[in-house]
């Protein structure tokens, strides 16, 4: 894949993107984002909160008065990358002592004032639910104090904030629909860094999607750690299960399937994507809505994590191997041409060789189009860290991960080969990375396609015949 989404995808593995605005007035803020798409989406909210108060953003570190790093804690490596980055900002600060350095996001929430007190790397620490306080916190630092706000909220969804789309190509945009996570997978820090799950008012989501479409955007991706558990029942607040709603709440409620339908109805020319789906919660009702609307893209990111029911159980994923496989069968029955991708963890606590083989055989069965693959990284204070021993030898983890990656590479190529000879509607997102003579776009199934430019331009829908492929890209010609 190429283009903006490639940058964001890579970010989940620890690379970065810098956002910029053209406004030259006011104090200059430089923001670097790491981690998942939700973090990138949050940086756009941060930019909006700050520009409302007269700040401007810059891509140029040298001219920055304030430097923010929006951080990720998901694996140890993600945090190491950020620490190194903070050290290099501190070097820059030596030349420019008035420069303010702040940490935002999940690492801020996890480490709290430790980053100020023990590591002395920063002036400001702000957790994901406290961004409205940022202008005030910068003022505190101006007054010579260090500033921390890591209070997690049960209501905050930033519903009323209109994100500054600084990262955007003007064609595709992200919209957060839930925040936090209630799932408590034992390996995962997210419930601790992002707090309790809450759903955003559907009206504000639909209005945001409509205004993006009116501004010329052609694709929106609805974001949440588990989009399937989206549920609005009439007020901001903690998630409840549908079964626990009162009759009045039920009558006012909106499920994820209903939300998707409303967004799909904005226009057939607006593509709708979503991420991440959870195997325990993805409903048939939703799959039928997906099948009904052509503009809901036929692509599901359905992380399996492991192919072994015992490992899934100690991960607290809430499903078994058999359940996952039956969800895959149902998806393929209801939407035959759907692409499916996954996240896989190699070497979770006590994983045996046979259980690793079960992950490989699960992959053989599904033949994912794409996968993010990791070796298990123990995170402080997670349930797994407290309850289980991280006892799979590093070398064994590495070997298992490389077997998983090798198999996935074969499957990615195999799946791409299935598209050769067919024609797909492609939304053009950017120039090809390799040549200005070629354009890049994606099929509804999320496969990246490169093709000769002709008279076409970014933002156009066109039909492309797929002539050949590699494991990562389809190569085609416009028909
Ligand atoms: N909400 C999503 C996952 C978000 S985190 C879901 O449940 O599917 C993205 C991915 O990072 C996870 O799917 C998992 O594969 C990986 N991950 C999370 N914690 C990890 C850890 N401690 N070690 C290695 N990988 C981890
Ligand atoms: Fe983490 Fe599990 Fe929540 Fe995903 S569903 S964010 S893996 S706790
Ligand atoms: Fe990382 Fe936080 Fe996202 S830990 S993956 S940035 S929710």
């Amino acid at each position: 894949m190429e283009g903006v989404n490639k940058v964001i995808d890579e970010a989940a593995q620890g690379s970065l993107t810098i956002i910029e605005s053209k406004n030259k007035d006011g104090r200059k803020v430089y923001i670097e984002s790491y981690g998942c798409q939700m973090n990138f989406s949050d940086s756009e909210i941060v930019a909006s909160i700050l520009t409302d108060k007269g700040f401007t953003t810059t891509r140029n570190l040298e001219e920055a008065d304030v430097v923010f790093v929006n951080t990720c804690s998901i694996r140890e490596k993600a945090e190491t990358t950020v620490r190194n980055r903070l050290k290099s900002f501190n070097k820059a600060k030596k030349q420019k002592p008035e420069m303010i350095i702040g940490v935002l996001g999940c690492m801020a929430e996890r480490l709290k004032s430790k980053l100020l007190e023990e590591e002395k790397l920063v002036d400001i620490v702000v957790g994901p639910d406290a961004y409205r306080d940022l202008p005030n916190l910068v003022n505190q630092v101006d007054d010579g104090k260090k500033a921390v706000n890591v209070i997690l909220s049960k209501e905050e969804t930033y519903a009323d904030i209109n994100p500054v789309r600084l990262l955007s190509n003007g064609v595709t945009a992200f919209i957060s629909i839930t925040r936090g996570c209630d799932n408590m997978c034992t390996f995962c820090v997210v419930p601790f860094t992002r707090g309790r799950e809450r759903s955003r008012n559907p009206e504000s989501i639909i209005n945001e999607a409509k205004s993006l479409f009116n501004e010329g955007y052609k694709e929106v991706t609805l974001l949440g750690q588990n989009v399937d558990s989206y549920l609005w029942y009439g007020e901001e607040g903690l998630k409840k299960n549908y079964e626990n709603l009162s009759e009045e709440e039920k009558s006012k409620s909106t499920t994820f399937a209903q939300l998707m339908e409303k967004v799909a109805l904005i226009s057939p020319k607006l593509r709708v994507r979503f991420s991440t789906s959870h195997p325990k919660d993805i409903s048939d009702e939703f799959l039928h809505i997906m099948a009904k609307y052509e503009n809901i893209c036929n692509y599901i990111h359905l992380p399996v994590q492991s192919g072994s029911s015992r490992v899934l159980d100690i991960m607290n994923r809430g499903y078994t191997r058999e359940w996952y496989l039956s969800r895959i069968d149902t998806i393929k029955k209801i939407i035959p041409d759907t692409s499916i991708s996954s996240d896989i963890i190699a070497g979770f606590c006590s994983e045996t060789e046979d259980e690793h083989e079960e992950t490989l055989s699960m992959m053989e069965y599904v033949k994912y189009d794409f996968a993010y693959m990791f070796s298990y990284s123990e995170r402080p204070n997670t349930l797994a860290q407290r309850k289980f021993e991280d006892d799979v030898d590093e070398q064994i983890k590495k070997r298992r991960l490389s077997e998983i990656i090798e198999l996935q590479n074969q499957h990615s190529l195999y799946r791409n080969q299935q598209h050769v000879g067919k024609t797909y509607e492609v939304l053009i997102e950017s120039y090809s990375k390799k040549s200005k003579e070629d354009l890049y776009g994606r099929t509804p199934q999320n496969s990246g396609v490169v093709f000769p430019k002709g008279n076409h331009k970014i933002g156009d829908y066109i039909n492309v015949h797929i002539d050949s492929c590699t494991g990562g890209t389809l190569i085609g010609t416009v028909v």
Side-chain angles (χ1 to χ4, degrees), residues 74 180-192 194 197 224-226 276-281 303 305 315-317 343 345:
I74 203 82
C181 185
D182 282 354
N183 282 324
M184 287 293 179
C185 302
T186 54
F187 52 78
C188 185
V189 289
V190 173
F192 305 97
R194 294 264 164 180
E197 182 180 321
Q225 293 298 350
N226 173 357
T276 302
S277 303
H278 199 299
K280 78 176 164 61
D281 292 320
Q305 314 299 358
M315 284 176 164
N316 195 30
R317 286 290 288 179
D343 293 346
I345 298 178

Side-chain angles (χ1 to χ4, degrees), residues 202 232-235 246-254 262:
W232 175 262
Y233 53 93
E235 58 183 288
S246 67
E247 285 313 311
E248 196 203 336
E249 284 172 331
K250 274 188 188 160
S251 71
K252 288 192 289 189
S253 74
T254 306
K262 288 180 183 167

Side-chain angles (χ1 to χ4, degrees), residues 35-36 39 71-74 106 189-190 194 225:
C36 61
N39 239 21
T71 60
C72 174
S73 288
I74 203 82
C106 291
V189 289
V190 173
R194 294 264 164 180
Q225 293 298 350

Side-chain angles (χ1 to χ4, degrees), residues 202-217:
E203 222 173 87
S204 76
I205 296 167
I206 291 152
N207 287 342
E208 191 172 329
K210 273 187 189 158
S211 54
L212 284 164
F213 183 67
N214 292 335
E215 285 165 37
Y217 284 82

